[in-house]
Amino acid sequence: MPEAPPPTFNRVISTRVFLPWLAASCLLLNLFVAGLAGYSLYRSHRQYESRAVIRTQNLSQSLNLTIAGIMDKAGLTVFAVKKEAERQIRSGGIDRPALRSYLRAHNERISEIQDLRVANARGEIVFSDQAPLERPVKISDRDYFVSASRNPWIGLIVTKPLMSRITNRWTVNIVRRMDNPDGSFAGIAYAAVSLDYFVRLCGSFDLGAHGLIALRDADLAVMVRYPEQAGGEGSTGSTMVPRELRELVRGGHTSGTYRTREGLDPVERIFSFRKIANYPLYVTAGLAVDDYLAPWRTEAALMSALVALFAAGSLVTARLLYRNRGREERGEAELLRHREQLEEMVRDRTSLLEARNAQLGEEIVLRKRIEADLQRSASVMDRMPDAVSWVAPDGRILYVNDAACRLSGYERRELLALRAWDLYRNATAESWLPHWEELRREGHLHFETAAQTRDGRLVPVDVSANYLEIDGQEYDCAILRDISERRAGEAERQALMVQLSQSQKIESIGRLAGGIAHDFNNLLTPILGYAELLQNRLPADSRDFERVDRIMQAADKARVLTQQLLSFSRKQFFEMRPVDLNNVVTSFYEILRRTIRENIAIRLRLSEIVYAVRADRNQVEQILMNLAINAQDAILDRGVITIETAPVTLDDEYVRQHEGLAPGRYLMLGVSDTGAGMARETIAHIFEPFFTTKDVGKGSGLGLATVYGLVKQHGGHIVVFSEEGEGTTFKIFFPLDEDAVPVETASAAEISEVNVAGSTILLVEDNDMVRNLVRDLLDSCNCRLIVAEGPRQALALSAGRKVDLLLTDVVMPDMNGPELQEKMQKTHPGLATLYMSGYTDTAILRNGAPDRGINFIQKPFTTRELLKKIDSILNGAPEPSPGAPAGRGDMR
């Protein structure tokens, strides 16, 4: 039987060989554990850095939007004060109580503004919404005042921090230039925003123990620093700028992040800065490295302790293994068993330690810190005035702040159940993916859209979307601002600009029309005069008499046309008296009824109470006739024309939106029709002369232009309301004459004969044709006549001679009519004067004869009209007044 082989055992490793192997194993194991712990701490450190960057970016963005909103509101308020002051200047002067009340009302609505002030052209602060100043305060040496006074085109000025001479506090001024009606410098309007307000604003944010917020001007000088360095002087005006910030701004960046130590203290911080949109201001928000890395350092200390504990355990184990090695050498089996047990124990403990480190580093510490940071960030964002939302790549809404709930009308839980495209107009699930790809590619998107609220309203919003990646997860952090007020302000400014442009255009056309009418009147005067002289010498039944009569008819139509041009250009001479509009309408009704087609009804809705307005009765009747004829032409078949009167009160808001009006009580004259109406494009041109929508030959285009000019000459205002197919309404507002009693216009008596024989008349006219006509006319009246081609010749010819009447043109070279009359009065006391002109310049006439009645005759005139006027002046005979009074009258 063969002998069984003896059992074999692995040779036991000797202690001399085992010691190096044991030391190397212990070292490698500890290095592996230490490396794993170091890698975990490295990733944790990066995450803390990333969260700090995001937090500073959110802080700077929030401050940017908040400060921009403050500046926008201050800028709009200053603009409103400037417009109100300029309006009062144009209306005759500053109404001091009204302007101070206006300033106080605006300042009470805007808490961010410390004071609203107005300074005159000498740099003296004359108005403030605060109590009146005890002593004058001058700011003429301030840079912003000098810039505004020298540059008429300068826009909004944002000053550097200044020590207020009124409150002795640091302020930033928002300044706008004010102009007189002629464009000269009238002063400035400005709002003072206290730097203390910005300090309080910065203090509302959580910055940690050593965080820092700074507001800098265009040169990066410090305006506000929060908090100030303990025990140090104020940093306002400091020009110490971190090198990293200066390089970013010089490189054209409007936002960015950098890490530096401020020159005012040794604390190292990470900063994010942003330029405040449309303003020369920069805001920086910084968190101290020691603050945001404090939790990480605690975590590092704990991790180091665990690694040290593991190292100590491995050393103790190695020592025990080494000490037991001698006993293990006694048997291969025992050695193998101990070695297997040791290896198994090392593997188990290593796996357990790795699992615990991963779980502790990634699940417990990291997640708790992230949740805490998110809670702090959410607390800050809930205090923001703008809506904030965090959206996932698939459109799920992950977070919203309180402002987002207020804006949308939803509760927070309802918003978190929606998708992003449910809240925007015209947004769909299909359009979300391209938007997300663009955001990921650009990193930041800024646009305006309309957000849809819970009740279906559309709210215009300004959206700033930011792409963020945290721990491999992508987010869309969007900030939404409600811009409804800004849109309303822009629409109001646009409407005011359209009104101003229309008023300037009509005013320019009016000046042109007045000049043309003046020249035509000078040409028509000899045509009518010589035709009348010629007709008086012809038999009434002759063909030549008929032909001359047609010449006079054509010239008379031309005179009516020029009168319409003068009405539009506001150069008519009116007899202004207190009249009752109700009486004018009812008296004129029969004439309208005979003029308007019978298939059109005319309805009167007149006020029950009688009110007086200062007006020329004949011109009011012309207004009614023109509007009624226009209404008739707009009604194709049957229809209704309604004429109404009613008292109205125009408040400050209505006056602010309609240039050229003053608040107060008015009497409204309305003319409405049920015609075809007008398009908006047509309404924009209806008051322009020669503009008409009628066929060729059916309208001159001067009817509404004449109405516009007559209304403006009465100090009134006209508005039109019309839609295609809905008819048209004209409303005219005449200022009420509260203390006057309406009087009726007495009919003028006719005179049978004209007698100027034996009188001496000095004729002064620079137009040859008009001068020759008047001379030929007066030569046949048995009066003594002195004819001069100009004022200087008239003074020379009349020296030492008796003169009963000065008959002179108004506008002449070297000297006008009133100036000639003033010189003649010195040598001929009590001299009567009759002015004649193609148009009337009321300022010249009033300045020339302020203490006596003005005798005036409008060119062109007939022979009979001139003789009646002369007879009424020399003999006191009454003469009819077809809109141009012989005695005193108001001229507008």
Side-chain angles (χ1 to χ4, degrees), residues 303-318:
M303 189 70 70
S304 299
L306 291 175
V307 172
L309 179 62
F310 177 81
S314 63
L315 289 175
V316 171
T317 302

Side-chain angles (χ1 to χ4, degrees), residues 597-608:
R597 297 196 310 265
E598 294 182 357
N599 61 346
I600 297 178
I602 301 178
R603 297 175 181 172
L604 303 183
R605 296 178 180 174
L606 307 180
S607 63
E608 297 180 357

Side-chain angles (χ1 to χ4, degrees), residues 154-170:
I154 195 166
L156 185 70
I157 302 174
V158 180
T159 69
K160 294 179 178 292
L162 300 169
M163 181 62 71
S164 173
R165 293 176 180 173
I166 297 178
T167 63
N168 292 324
R169 293 183 179 180
W170 286 100

Side-chain angles (χ1 to χ4, degrees), residues 366-630:
L366 181 59
R367 291 187 181 278
K368 287 184 178 181
R369 296 301 179 188
I370 291 176
E371 290 174 359
D373 286 345
L374 287 177
Q375 290 176 354
R376 286 193 294 271
S377 298
S379 176
V380 172
M381 287 188 286
D382 278 339
R383 299 176 63 182
M384 292 176 59
D386 297 324
V388 178
S389 65
W390 288 61
V391 184
D394 59 359
R396 290 180 296 109
I397 300 176
L398 304 177
Y399 165 80
V400 291
N401 67 348
D402 293 342
C405 297
R406 292 193 299 269
L407 177 66
S408 64
Y410 289 98
E411 295 183 4
R412 192 185 302 270
R413 58 181 179 78
E414 294 175 325
L415 279 176
L416 296 180
L418 298 176
R419 298 294 178 124
W421 51 80
D422 295 330
L423 299 177
Y424 297 100
R425 183 182 64 180
N426 300 329
T428 61
E430 292 74 16
S431 63
W432 172 256
L433 183 58
H435 167 77
W436 179 263
E437 293 298 332
E438 182 182 4
L439 177 62
R440 177 187 293 165
R441 181 174 61 256
E442 299 294 336
H444 173 78
L445 295 177
H446 185 268
F447 55 91
E448 293 183 3
T449 185
Q452 185 166 335
T453 64
R454 184 176 187 176
D455 56 6
R457 291 185 300 108
L458 293 177
V459 179
V461 293
D462 180 277
V463 181
S464 178
N466 301 276
Y467 173 79
L468 300 176
E469 183 177 358
I470 303 175
D471 296 335
Q473 177 64 46
E474 296 174 317
Y475 300 96
D476 173 8
C477 178
I479 301 175
L480 296 83
R481 167 169 290 182
D482 185 348
I483 57 174
S484 301
E485 293 185 4
R486 191 182 78 189
R487 289 276 181 87
E490 291 173 352
E492 182 178 333
R493 286 196 296 272
Q494 184 65 25
L496 289 175
M497 291 302 295
V498 170
Q499 289 186 26
L500 177 61
S501 174
Q502 181 72 0
S503 176
Q504 291 173 341
K505 178 171 65 175
I506 293 179
E507 186 68 25
S508 299
I509 298 174
R511 287 195 292 270
L512 174 63
I516 293 174
H518 170 261
D519 292 340
F520 265 80
N521 284 337
N522 278 333
L523 296 174
L524 290 172
T525 298
I527 293 174
L528 277 171
Y530 282 121
E532 186 177 5
L533 290 175
L534 182 59
Q535 190 183 48
N536 291 336
R537 298 180 181 180
L538 296 174
D541 57 351
S542 66
R543 288 292 302 276
D544 289 338
F545 183 92
E546 181 181 353
R547 290 167 180 165
V548 173
D549 187 62
R550 290 179 180 176
I551 293 175
M552 294 182 66
Q553 290 177 10
D556 193 61
K557 289 182 179 180
R559 178 170 65 169
V560 173
L561 180 62
T562 57
Q563 290 298 320
Q564 289 179 318
L565 288 175
L566 286 172
S567 297
F568 173 73
S569 62
R570 310 180 206 175
K571 295 183 181 294
Q572 284 282 65
F573 191 90
F574 288 169
E575 185 175 11
M576 306 296 288
R577 298 177 179 177
V579 300
D580 174 14
L581 278 187
N582 289 357
N583 179 269
V584 175
V585 173
T586 54
S587 299
F588 199 60
Y589 175 81
E590 292 301 327
I591 297 177
L592 287 178
R593 185 63 278 172
R594 291 194 298 270
T595 304
I596 303 303
R597 297 196 310 265
E598 294 182 357
N599 61 346
I600 297 178
I602 301 178
R603 297 175 181 172
L604 303 183
R605 296 178 180 174
L606 307 180
S607 63
E608 297 180 357
I609 303 176
V610 175
Y611 296 92
V613 297
R614 291 190 63 80
D616 186 308
R617 185 184 186 95
N618 294 334
Q619 304 306 327
V620 174
E621 291 175 350
Q622 184 178 350
I623 291 172
L624 285 170
M625 179 62 75
N626 288 354
L627 292 179
I629 290 175
N630 266 345

Side-chain angles (χ1 to χ4, degrees), residues 45-267:
H45 185 277
R46 288 193 60 184
Q47 291 168 355
Y48 279 104
E49 290 280 357
S50 175
R51 287 195 297 272
V53 169
I54 293 171
R55 188 177 171 193
T56 58
Q57 289 175 345
N58 289 339
L59 285 172
S60 65
Q61 175 68 358
S62 178
L63 285 167
N64 170 35
L65 296 175
T66 303
I67 295 175
I70 294 171
M71 304 302 284
D72 287 343
K73 288 193 285 186
L76 286 174
T77 302
V78 172
F79 180 80
V81 172
K82 158 191 164 68
K83 296 301 290 185
E84 175 63 15
E86 289 179 344
R87 184 192 67 75
Q88 292 189 12
I89 291 173
R90 288 195 301 272
S91 299
I94 294 294
D95 184 348
R96 303 176 72 90
L99 184 57
R100 182 170 288 109
S101 176
Y102 187 87
L103 295 176
R104 186 174 295 110
H106 273 71
N107 196 17
E108 289 175 353
R109 289 197 300 267
I110 305 175
S111 60
E112 294 88 346
I113 296 179
Q114 181 187 22
D115 194 3
L116 278 172
R117 302 168 188 153
V118 174
N120 60 22
R122 297 187 301 274
E124 299 172 344
I125 299 177
V126 294
F127 295 100
S128 172
D129 66 319
Q130 305 297 328
L133 302 177
E134 296 180 358
R135 55 182 179 83
V137 178
K138 297 197 67 174
I139 58 171
S140 58
D141 58 332
R142 296 291 200 187
D143 292 343
Y144 60 85
F145 184 87
V146 175
S147 299
S149 64
R150 293 179 178 176
N151 184 3
W153 306 107
I154 195 166
L156 185 70
I157 302 174
V158 180
T159 69
K160 294 179 178 292
L162 300 169
M163 181 62 71
S164 173
R165 293 176 180 173
I166 297 178
T167 63
N168 292 324
R169 293 183 179 180
W170 286 100
T171 62
V172 174
N173 295 339
I174 314 300
V175 186
R176 280 193 179 274
R177 170 190 170 109
M178 299 190 308
D179 292 322
N180 289 312
D182 60 355
S184 62
F185 179 60
I188 64 171
Y190 70 97
V193 182
S194 174
L195 293 189
D196 293 340
Y197 178 83
F198 292 110
V199 171
R200 293 193 300 272
L201 175 65
C202 296
S204 65
F205 293 92
D206 181 14
L207 303 176
H210 302 90
L212 177 64
I213 293 177
L215 180 64
R216 296 177 178 268
D217 61 22
D219 298 326
L220 300 182
V222 175
M223 298 172 64
V224 175
R225 184 180 188 270
Y226 178 84
E228 287 286 4
Q229 187 176 3
E233 298 181 354
S235 59
T236 300
S238 172
T239 58
M240 188 172 295
V241 184
R243 176 180 55 83
E244 297 82 355
L245 175 59
R246 188 180 299 279
E247 290 176 355
L248 285 170
V249 173
R250 285 178 178 174
H253 296 278
T254 58
S255 63
T257 303
Y258 60 94
R259 184 168 178 170
T260 186
R261 293 180 184 271
E262 281 275 340
L264 300 177
D265 59 42
V267 179

